[in-house]
Amino acid sequence: MFASASSQLLLRVQSLHSTEPMAHSLTLSRFPATTSSSFHRHHHAVKPLTLRSVARRLKPALIRACDRSQQIGGDGSKAAGGLSWLEPILKFARSNVLPLALISAVTLGLTYPSLGCAADKFNVSKIGPFGIFVISGLMLRSEEIGAAVEAWPAGLFGLVSILFLTPYFSRIILQIQLQPQEFITGLAIFSCMPTTLSSGVALTQLAGGNSALALAMTVISNLLGIMIIPLSITKFVAAGVGVALPIKQLFKSLVLTILIPLILGKVLRESFKGVADFVDKNRKLFSLISALFLSIVPWIQVSRSRPLLLMVKPNVFLIAIGLGTLLHLSLLVFNIIAVSSLSVISGGRNSIFSREENASAVVLVASQKTLPVMVAVIEPLQGAFGESGLLVLPCVAAHLNQIIVDSFIVNFLRFRDNSNNVKVA
């Protein structure tokens, strides 16, 4: 049958070890009819081609092909793994939204001031404080305030320290001579401010402190601060620099930019359960939005004051940053000594002040000063104390530095607590 065919197709398997370019492949070759007889004569020299033999010969090639594909896949995974260096950066950014937002705002104002000046024409700077305190009201939980009642003596001292004792440090600051004078005046005003709106509570939680007490001191000090701050600035700062402060105008501005937005946010939270649930589930998102609102005002003020800022010598600005850090360290030392003294006076180890969770809450919260309220105070003064950008810039640095310093302190406390737990175990 094969002999009668004029031509035939013979299936040939190339050697697996062939050096030809198409090794390990199956080819169909055409043979002339004259070879058919010789094929029959020497059929014993050609091994019959079966599926098993083909599979046996192809198996090593398939294995090597799989190895190459795994290598390619491995290279791909390595390429994907090469992006793993982004993860720590993103994690750092998520954990430090506020500092990064403030630094970005100052940098943008210095590099592209025209944008900030254009935004200032539309009164965008007033949106920032209003939005911050609306979000603060939305995030305020009533039950957390009630949980701080038990530690009310510690909370009372914290409020006294924030609103009445620490503003005295402004008199010491005003004794320092530095040009431009706005740097010193800005830090003096900063020391009269209430405590931070969020970082004090967050750091207290990380330190294992009484977060409910920290939250209560934060809310009450910022509410009372609306009435007390104008008086404090008049007594400690305005008299020192010879400026008559418009108290009524400042009080009205604080009510409009702090109290009303805070009440509005709180009413929205309590009136609609869906709003409260949404805010609680997305607290990180709202913290991010609050940080962006806060960065608006420094951005605009630095943009407006850029010509003056460029005239400031770098070493002078570094001195102002150092003074802001020194102010915070001084407040920390003062509150630590005060809490320790009250602990001894009020009963030693049985005192409320002796409980570490209460002490850490008071020291951390009472030693910090808030930038948003300071911005809300500076905005309506219309240059009464000097150029607003020069007033705010060292306070932005002081705000960042106090968060950084307290973060190191909190990490130390957590490390110490973990070490003690290991020893007990």
Side-chain angles (χ1 to χ4, degrees), residues 59-102:
K59 186 175 181 181
L62 293 174
I63 292 175
R64 286 193 293 272
C66 291
D67 289 342
R68 287 195 298 269
S69 65
Q70 288 175 358
Q71 290 174 1
I72 295 174
D75 294 339
S77 63
K78 288 179 182 177
L83 298 177
S84 61
W85 60 272
L86 280 175
E87 186 60 30
I89 297 177
L90 295 175
K91 184 178 180 181
F92 176 81
R94 288 191 293 265
S95 303
N96 299 275
V97 172
L98 179 56
L100 292 176
L102 292 174

Side-chain angles (χ1 to χ4, degrees), residues 2 5 20 52 79 92 126 176 187 256 272 285 368 380 393:
F2 284 103
E20 296 178 12
R52 181 178 298 178
F92 176 81
K126 295 182 180 179
I176 301 172
L187 290 173
L256 292 175
F272 305 98
L285 173 62
Q368 293 191 355
L393 191 59

Side-chain angles (χ1 to χ4, degrees), residues 35-48:
T35 60
S36 59
S37 58
S38 61
F39 172 78
H40 283 286
R41 284 195 304 269
H42 304 287
H43 67 276
H44 60 275
V46 180
K47 295 181 179 180

Side-chain angles (χ1 to χ4, degrees), residues 149-217:
V149 174
E150 182 184 354
W152 69 266
L156 180 61
F157 167 75
L159 293 175
V160 171
S161 176
I162 293 167
L163 297 173
F164 298 104
L165 299 181
T166 53
Y168 275 93
F169 283 81
S170 61
R171 286 189 171 179
I172 301 175
I173 295 172
L174 289 173
Q175 302 304 313
I176 301 172
Q177 299 298 321
L178 188 68
Q179 292 298 328
Q181 183 62 31
E182 284 91 339
F183 281 179
I184 299 299
T185 305
L187 290 173
I189 297 173
F190 188 63
S191 66
C192 296
M193 295 298 108
T195 188
T196 51
L197 298 171
S198 59
S199 59
V201 177
L203 290 168
T204 300
Q205 291 174 339
L206 290 174
N210 189 337
S211 58
L213 176 62
L215 181 63
M217 288 188 292

